[in-house]
Structures are given as C-alpha cells and as structure tokens.
C-alpha cells in the first residue's frame, strides 16, 4: 500500500552539508519527498518528539544533539514507505548497517547517525502530525 513516513536529516548531516546526498538515496529508492522543511528544534520540541525514549540512558544526550543545529524534516511517500525508508537508512548503529545504506555511508556513530525514520505506520502518523500541518504536505 502507498504509505507516508516521517524522515529527519539530523544535525551531524546538515553540519557536513550532505543533505542532498541523503535525499538522493531516498529518492533513488522510490520514496517521494511530499513535504520538507529545515528547522532548528527547541529543547521542548526534541523532548516531545523523543518522549518514547525518555527513560532510556541516551535520552538527554539525544535531545542535546538534536537541538545542536539545523535538521531537515520530511514526509516521504511511497509503496511500503515505512519499511522501505528503514531499509534505505540501515541499522541504528552504523557498525551494523548494511553496505550502501545511508547510515553505513554517512553516520558517525550510534547517536550521530544522520537520519531518523518512523518505526511503524502508527508512529509515522503521529510524528507527521507533530511536524507538519495538512497544507504543508503536497503529494
Ligand atoms: P533514532 O532512529 O532517531 O531513534 C532514537 C535515537 O537515539 C537514535 O536514532 C540515535 O540517534 C539515538 N541513540 C543514541 N544511543 C542509542 C542507543 N544506544 N540505542 C538506540 N538509539 C540511540
């Protein structure tokens, strides 16, 4: 089925000026960018977005990292977009990411891993709603 998922190009990637290289990987996999904006999150926005991880030991560092510079937030659309985006991103830890994936090529470590992608259709809907209004998404 045609799905939508939320994608974020993280501060480690914007700092290295490789957003285009990352978008090329997404588009080459058949994902279409139907919404996109470059923003800088406040601490409150990052805390809310990653609320599911708030009990995890890496939560505070993650919030600090995600507010350390600009990010590019996107809605991607395509056949099985949630799973396809996760395939193109590769494993969370770049050490485990398959060759050719975004994280294998670009991620610096398990935290500075260049991209985020929703992990389920349900979370995708919630994450999209948190970041975009309906009129900012043009399919
Ligand atoms: P992301 O897919 O955005 O979801 C949670 C983020 O936490 C993850 O990518 C990493 O940037 C960061 N993170 C840092 N340490 C860990 C860890 N040990 N396990 C999972 N995620 C981590």
């Amino acid at each position: 089925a045609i799905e939508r998922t939320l994608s974020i190009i993280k501060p480690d990637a914007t700092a290295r000026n490789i957003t285009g290289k990352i978008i090329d990987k997404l588009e080459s996999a058949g994902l279409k960018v139907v919404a996109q904006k470059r923003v800088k999150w406040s601490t409150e926005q990052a805390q809310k977005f990653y609320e599911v991880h708030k009990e995890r030991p890496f939560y505070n560092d993650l919030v600090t990292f995600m507010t350390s510079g600009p990010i590019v937030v996107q809605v991607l659309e395509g056949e099985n977009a949630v799973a396809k985006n996760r395939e193109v991103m590769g494993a969370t830890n770049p050490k485990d990411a398959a060759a050719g994936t975004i994280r294998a090529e670009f991620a610096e470590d398990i935290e500075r891993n260049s991209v985020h992608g929703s992990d389920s259709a349900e979370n995708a809907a919630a994450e999209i709603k948190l970041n975009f209004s309906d009129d900012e998404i043009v399919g």
Side-chain angles (χ1 to χ4, degrees):
I2 298 288
E3 291 177 345
R4 285 176 172 175
T5 191
L6 189 91
S7 164
I8 302 175
I9 303 176
K10 297 186 177 183
D12 67 285
T14 59
R16 286 175 288 148
N17 210 26
I18 55 171
T19 62
K21 287 181 178 169
I22 290 173
I23 294 166
D24 181 39
K25 292 250 188 214
L26 299 170
E27 290 183 338
S28 296
L31 293 162
K32 181 178 170 185
V33 180
V34 296
Q36 177 166 271
K37 58 187 170 189
R38 181 174 170 105
V39 296
K40 191 166 184 292
W41 272 350
S42 66
T43 297
E44 292 69 28
Q45 283 173 297
Q47 285 173 336
K48 187 161 190 204
F49 185 84
Y50 281 116
E51 202 161 20
V52 291
H53 294 307
K54 72 170 181 289
E55 304 305 330
R56 308 283 288 271
F58 57 81
Y59 178 72
N60 285 332
D61 284 348
L62 175 62
V63 168
T64 300
F65 165 54
M66 289 300 290
T67 56
S68 67
I71 59 174
V72 176
V73 190
Q74 309 168 306
V75 179
L76 306 178
E77 186 180 88
E79 189 69 30
N80 295 318
V82 174
K84 185 172 282 182
N85 184 38
R86 294 181 71 75
E87 197 181 308
V88 180
M89 288 193 298
T92 304
N93 188 341
K95 290 185 178 132
D96 303 325
T101 61
I102 292 169
R103 284 165 171 162
E105 285 195 18
F106 303 121
E108 298 183 326
D109 57 44
I110 194 170
E111 176 182 82
R112 303 173 64 83
N113 63 355
S114 304
V115 280
H116 166 83
S118 309
D119 64 3
S120 67
E122 193 186 3
N123 285 338
E127 291 178 2
I128 290 169
K129 204 162 188 171
L130 205 54
N131 285 280
F132 291 96
S133 60
D134 286 346
D135 65 352
E136 289 178 308
I137 305 170
V138 184

